[in-house]
Amino acid sequence: MPMMMQLRTLCGLLLVGTIAVLCKENKGHVSVVLLGATGDLAKKYLWQGLFQLYLNEVNRGHSFSFHGAALTPPEQAEIVMFNALKSLSCPGDVTPDRCALVKDQFLKLTRYRQLKTAQNYTALHQDILSSLAEESLHEAGRLFYLSVPPFAYADIARNINASCRPPPGAWLRVVLEKPFGHDYESAKQLAGELQTFFQEEEIYRVDHYLGKQTVEQILPFRRRNQKHLGPIWNRQHVDRVEIVMKEMVDAKGRTSFYEEYGVIRDVIQNHLTEILTAVAMEVPHNFSNSDDVLRAKLELLDSLRDPEHSSAVIGQYQNYLPQVREELEKHPNYFTNTQTFASVLVYIDNVRWEGVPFLLVSGKALDERTSYARVVFKDNVFCLQKEQNEDTGTNPCKPRQIIFHIGHGALGFPAVLVSRSLFRPSLISSQWQAGSEIPAPSLFGQPLADYYVYRPIEERDAYSILISNIYRGKKESFITTKNLLASWKFWTRLLESIDGESPRVYPGGSETGHLLDFAIEHGGLHFVTDEHLEIMGMKDKSNTFASAQSNFLGNTMVSNWAEQLIQKLAQDIQTEADAAVKRSGVFHLALSGGSSPIALFERLSVHHYGFPWKHTHLWMVDERCVPFTDPDSNFGSLERHLLRRVRIPYVNIHPMPVYRNQRLCAAEDMGSETYAQEISALVSNSSFDLVLLGLGNDGHTASIFPGSKDLISGDKLVLLSESPLKPTHRMSLSLPLINKARKVAVLILGKGKNDILTLISRAESNPNKWPIFGVNPTFGDLVWYVDYDALFR
């Protein structure tokens, strides 16, 4: 029996047992194609969501057919798919007879198809048209749900567009699962590919958190309670907003995914950001208009203040690294900076929210599983009279908060809670009811008696809600291209800033204690507890993965494996750059030559999206007296590894003038004096913001070699020097000039530096014998960046 005839048979049944099945005149046919039909997401959620859609809509006018699709041949895939279909269930308010009847019909309307080639898509299109013609039905629309990896989107989109579009007059809806890119550029590229084949109104990007009942309720709640919220939903009354998703499970079995994405890309950039927009956006007057809602979301995203490096604190549970090494078959010395915990401080630059901190927090291997959005109001009332009665609703001194409890946690169910000291909320009575028999005695430090508690009358799965919204064309529940790119533009700035950072390692679960507690200070976040890691004769307290920070020769030393150390140094340089630009509008950076900084140059050129290059002046600490095209040229190395890849104004680049009048480092050409004059003219007080140095095997730094008295203690800023190694002639900044810098970083890499590092750690300070001892900033800081090979060999 043809698939369409089966539906007519169902509609012709007047009575099955005690169940009447009523069907209206057909409004058109809807074909649903689920690609990835045998995958985990389909088996856990999507088939159930599609069945729920059919159950809700079977007697409302449209007819349906369902096509499960994958690359697998039918003889293998059909068994897997239909095993999943057997487990479909009905809500509690559906009688068993009706459930059995509709489920049986749904199974008869469902077919498996292999969609692997362009011909397969053409065949599907022709089969749909033929079936419709046989039953004299017109096509209302086609829904393609792509539960497949993002790399497959482009080919599938090309095939749908080329040979499987519905005829004119019918709608096309193409549903995509996250991730929608890895950063701004990849998201933009993916969006561009999709827009080649589909119109914006045809694309539905799913964030399943938008289908969570509590999240879906935020905007209606704000509109229904506008009378009470209007005066207080602003910076004058809100102390902070917390948006939290905590998980007890770790990343075991998913480390390949987590190594590419991490917690910010996996959860915060999408789920928590969407909740932030729902809490903070302006509720449009035409609340039922999807375009108005999406426009208001975009306005909110565009008003997020650019994040800074101090906007986030990050962590990694201690078993993550062993899991990565095992699952990905990595070398025992392999290390990773992937974040499994992050808290991000977000500020919104608009009149309503200026200065109000929004905290977005998520992590794995934590002490509980819960998710919520919590709006905490300021306590600016002093109550003189002691509260005597149990009526908590009239006490203005009780803590005041509104909690959108998304799921799990102490309550164990989705709920909306409002402090009784605020107001009695109004929710849609057909969907929400006052909570009763609540197991938790308290929530966020308050007895549950202090809250009005509302929970859904019927708990519904997020995917069932979203699939229903797709069918109805409710675009506000999905991510548009503009909103996606606006979100990624914000988050990419932060990710580029912290991806190289070593996260704080935490034990996981309840053993983590207060290690991940953080505080807001000076507009940024910091961990409350210090994690001291000591080396070189000091007791190593815990974590050899995190960048160890201790003292060396009386100054700060940061240590890690070379790659992680370079990432840490690059981030510290960006932090100094941002602070200098904020302070004076310009960042003056002086760089040494040699092989050690090359990895740093490459790191800065590729991974630091937000670096203020247009405000940066680059200077040389030292230079070999060779043409810039010579492989030994320090500036030539800088040009090859950094300047070709970043956009720095030409006038901000300052190579040392070692080649003048067609001569190399001739004293009478006064190249060193010219460079000193240029520094004095452009660098305030001749004080560089940061100077990067290295350490030679004889204790020299820059091109200041043992016995170079004029460079060590003289009054000149730049001088010519002599090297014991070829090329012999050099030009170098003097130690007095270097020591005027705000910060000096000494980078030491490799096993070959272990001997000199050990020697100077034991030697008496003598700059004439060991010039590195002469590096002692007058007012600035000195930080040693030493890799483990140099420390321990």
Side-chain angles (χ1 to χ4, degrees):
M1 181 183 294
M3 194 175 293
M4 309 304 170
M5 183 64 74
Q6 292 169 2
L7 175 65
R8 293 189 172 186
T9 301
L10 175 64
C11 292
L13 291 174
L14 298 179
L15 199 66
V16 178
T18 59
I19 304 301
V21 180
L22 303 176
C23 289
K24 298 181 180 179
E25 181 182 355
N26 193 282
K27 297 178 181 178
H29 186 77
V30 176
S31 300
V32 178
V33 183
L34 172 56
L35 292 101
T38 58
D40 286 343
L41 185 65
K43 288 186 285 188
K44 289 180 180 178
Y45 301 109
L46 300 183
W47 281 119
Q48 180 63 45
L50 292 173
F51 175 59
Q52 185 68 47
L53 173 69
Y54 182 69
L55 183 66
N56 293 341
E57 301 296 332
V58 64
N59 63 343
R60 295 182 180 175
H62 283 131
S63 59
F64 292 87
S65 59
F66 299 91
H67 306 267
L71 301 176
T72 312
E75 57 271 17
Q76 301 172 29
E78 286 178 349
I79 297 173
V80 176
M81 191 179 90
F82 283 99
N83 282 337
L85 295 179
K86 289 178 184 177
S87 63
L88 298 176
S89 60
C90 298
D93 60 350
V94 178
T95 64
D97 286 345
R98 182 170 189 270
C99 181
L101 175 65
V102 178
K103 181 177 177 179
D104 179 67
Q105 193 62 31
F106 179 80
L107 294 176
K108 291 176 179 177
L109 293 171
T110 304
R111 295 285 184 271
Y112 176 80
R113 304 195 64 108
Q114 184 179 21
L115 290 183
K116 189 173 183 179
T117 67
Q119 291 76 16
N120 294 148
Y121 285 85
T122 301
L124 171 62
H125 175 69
Q126 292 300 327
D127 286 352
I128 292 174
L129 295 182
S130 297
S131 296
L132 290 169
E134 287 179 19
E135 301 301 322
S136 301
L137 295 172
H138 73 275
E139 190 163 9
R142 290 185 196 176
L143 192 162
F144 287 85
Y145 200 119
L146 276 57
S147 180
V148 297
F151 66 77
Y153 287 169
D155 285 342
I156 293 173
R158 184 179 296 105
N159 286 323
I160 293 173
N161 182 62
S163 59
C164 213
R165 277 185 168 273
W171 49 257
L172 172 66
R173 291 170 191 155
V174 180
V175 187
L176 310 172
E177 280 283 342
K178 79 175 185 75
F180 311 121
H182 183 266
D183 54 17
Y184 175 76
E185 289 299 328
S186 59
K188 184 177 179 181
Q189 179 181 355
L190 180 58
E193 290 175 352
L194 291 171
Q195 288 175 329
T196 303
F197 307 111
F198 304 129
Q199 300 296 318
E200 178 66 27
E201 61 269 18
E202 296 173 333
I203 301 172
Y204 287 71
R205 294 183 183 86
V206 168
D207 183 329
H208 78 272
Y209 254 62
L210 289 175
K212 298 283 188 179
Q213 286 175 282
T214 308
V215 176
E216 194 185 39
Q217 180 61 209
I218 294 175
L219 285 179
F221 175 88
R222 290 180 58 192
R223 169 52 60 87
R224 290 178 68 91
N225 294 279
Q226 175 64 23
K227 174 183 176 181
H228 300 290
L229 292 177
I232 62 173
W233 206 254
N234 53 54
R235 58 190 173 92
Q236 284 83 13
H237 294 86
V238 174
D239 181 73
R240 68 185 184 278
V241 178
E242 303 166 2
I243 303 172
V244 176
M245 178 182 171
K246 296 170 68 177
E247 296 183 272
M248 297 178 71
V249 298
D250 59 22
K252 188 174 183 179
R254 297 184 69 222
T255 56
S256 60
F257 172 85
Y258 241 71
E259 275 297 272
E260 184 175 359
Y261 288 92
V263 69
I264 294 179
R265 291 177 173 90
D266 181 35
V267 173
I268 298 179
Q269 179 274 329
N270 37 73
H271 300 334
L272 302 195
T273 301
E274 286 299 319
I275 297 171
L276 182 149
T277 61
V279 171
M281 63 183 274
E282 297 299 316
V283 182
H285 294 294
N286 189 358
F287 184 63
S288 61
N289 186 297
S290 294
D291 291 338
D292 288 353
V293 174
L294 291 168
R295 191 177 301 111
K297 283 188 176 184
L298 181 60
E299 289 174 359
L300 190 282
L301 289 170
D302 287 340
S303 68
L304 299 182
R305 184 187 303 175
D306 286 349
E308 299 179 1
H309 176 251
S310 62
S311 298
V313 290
I314 56 177
Q316 182 188 101
Y317 65 84
Q318 65 182 11
N319 286 334
Y320 178 77
L321 182 57
Q323 289 170 353
V324 170
R325 288 173 177 169
E326 179 183 356
E327 293 182 13
L328 304 186
E329 299 180 350
K330 296 292 187 179
H331 189 274
N333 290 332
Y334 177 81
F335 287 88
T336 173
N337 284 332
T338 299
Q339 313 106 17
T340 64
F341 167 84
S343 176
V344 184
L345 177 61
V346 176
Y347 287 103
I348 300 171
D349 285 335
N350 63 24
V351 174
R352 181 184 295 276
W353 296 114
E354 182 180 5
V356 176
F358 284 71
L359 290 165
L360 277 59
V361 183
S362 187
K364 288 187 172 294
L366 299 178
D367 61 328
E368 63 174 335
R369 182 187 184 190
T370 188
S371 53
Y372 58 84
R374 180 185 179 213
V375 182
V376 181
F377 292 88
K378 296 177 180 178
D379 183 9
N380 54 4
V381 176
F382 177 79
C383 294
L384 185 63
Q385 185 70 28
K386 181 181 178 181
E387 191 68 26
Q388 297 291 339
N389 57 53
E390 297 296 324
D391 183 6
T392 59
T394 60
N395 184 356
C397 282
K398 289 282 187 180
R400 303 185 304 159
Q401 48 195 330
I402 296 175
I403 303 163
F404 300 99
H405 191 269
I406 298 166
H408 307 290
L411 291 181
F413 55 81
V416 177
L417 301 93
V418 178
S419 292
R420 291 177 180 267
S421 54
L422 282 170
F423 58 89
R424 181 188 291 273
S426 170
L427 287 91
I428 301 172
S429 60
S430 62
Q431 300 176 11
W432 293 77
Q433 63 185 353
S436 59
E437 299 181 4
I438 300 173
S442 64
L443 196 65
F444 297 110
Q446 285 183 261
L448 278 179
D450 285 0
Y451 298 100
Y452 295 109
V453 181
Y454 289 84
R455 63 185 298 178
I457 294 174
E458 176 191 342
E459 291 189 37
R460 298 176 60 199
D461 172 67
Y463 277 99
S464 294
I465 292 173
L466 290 174
I467 288 172
S468 175
N469 288 342
I470 295 165
Y471 168 73
R472 298 179 183 283
K474 295 181 64 176
K475 289 284 287 185
E476 69 270 20
S477 299
F478 303 91
I479 315 300
T480 66
T481 300
K482 287 183 178 179
N483 287 26
L484 173 70
L485 296 182
S487 174
W488 268 123
K489 191 172 185 179
F490 172 83
W491 287 106
T492 298
R493 294 189 184 105
L494 179 67
L495 288 164
E496 292 288 0
S497 174
I498 67 172
D499 269 350
E501 284 289 293
S502 294
R504 170 170 289 193
V505 174
Y506 58 96
S510 59
E511 294 182 8
T512 299
H514 298 292
L515 196 60
L516 296 181
D517 291 350
F518 54 87
I520 302 172
E521 189 173 282
H522 306 304
L525 295 183
H526 68 88
F527 285 121
V528 174
T529 59
D530 292 328
E531 185 188 33
H532 295 293
L533 296 166
E534 303 167 349
I535 53 177
M536 289 199 70
M538 303 179 185
K539 184 178 179 182
D540 184 3
K541 293 187 177 179
S542 58
N543 170 5
T544 58
F545 162 67
S547 291
Q549 186 164 321
S550 59
N551 289 315
F552 182 68
L553 298 180
N555 294 285
T556 300
M557 179 172 68
V558 179
S559 300
N560 207 323
W561 297 103
E563 182 179 355
Q564 285 73 34
L565 186 71
I566 289 294
Q567 293 172 356
K568 169 66 174 170
L569 174 56
Q571 183 49 60
D572 288 351
I573 291 174
Q574 181 165 349
T575 300
E576 294 293 329
D578 291 337
V581 171
K582 187 175 182 179
R583 180 175 60 247
S584 61
V586 67
F587 176 54
H588 289 283
L589 173 62
L591 298 167
S592 288
S595 59
S596 294
I598 290 176
L600 172 67
F601 299 159
E602 293 178 343
R603 175 78 196 178
L604 287 170
S605 68
V606 174
H607 294 286
H608 287 259
Y609 176 83
F611 199 98
W613 291 116
K614 68 178 180 180
H615 301 293
T616 297
H617 284 253
L618 291 181
W619 304 82
M620 303 304 299
V621 170
D622 64 328
E623 181 58 278
R624 294 160 173 152
C625 294
V626 296
F628 293 151
T629 55
D630 191 291
D632 286 329
S633 169
N634 291 342
F635 181 78
S637 176
L638 176 67
E639 194 271 336
R640 288 190 299 275
H641 298 288
L642 180 65
L643 298 182
R644 291 180 185 178
R645 306 181 187 183
V646 299
R647 302 183 67 178
I648 301 178
Y650 176 78
V651 294
N652 289 8
I653 302 171
H654 308 279
M656 281 184 160
V658 295
Y659 189 71
R660 308 188 76 196
N661 302 321
Q662 299 183 346
R663 294 189 294 186
L664 289 168
C665 293
E668 55 270 29
D669 291 332
M670 302 182 67
S672 55
E673 290 84 352
T674 299
Y675 205 56
Q677 291 171 4
E678 188 175 4
I679 292 170
S680 298
L682 296 177
V683 182
S684 178
N685 298 319
S686 299
S687 176
F688 292 105
D689 294 298
L690 192 147
V691 174
L692 176 67
L693 301 176
L695 173 64
N697 290 330
D698 58 356
H700 83 266
T701 188
S703 287
I704 307 172
F705 295 92
S708 304
K709 293 183 179 179
D710 289 342
L711 280 162
I712 292 170
S713 58
D715 57 359
K716 292 187 177 181
L717 302 183
V718 186
L719 292 99
L720 297 174
S721 70
E722 297 289 327
S723 166
L725 302 173
K726 292 184 178 181
T728 303
H729 300 293
R730 311 285 180 96
M731 182 181 292
S732 181
L733 305 185
S734 68
L735 279 177
L737 176 57
I738 290 171
N739 286 332
K740 294 179 71 174
R742 287 178 173 269
K743 181 174 181 176
V744 177
V746 181
L747 176 62
I748 305 173
L749 301 176
K751 296 178 180 179
K753 297 297 173 70
N754 178 261
D755 288 344
I756 184 61
L757 198 66
T758 302
L759 193 155
I760 65 172
S761 70
R762 300 169 181 172
E764 182 180 353
S765 177
N766 184 346
N768 285 310
K769 186 175 183 180
W770 317 103
I772 191 66
F773 280 118
V775 179
N776 185 21
T778 307
F779 301 107
D781 298 319
L782 170 60
V783 180
W784 299 79
Y785 293 83
V786 187
D787 79 340
Y788 289 156
D789 283 334
L791 277 176
F792 304 122
R793 193 165 59 179

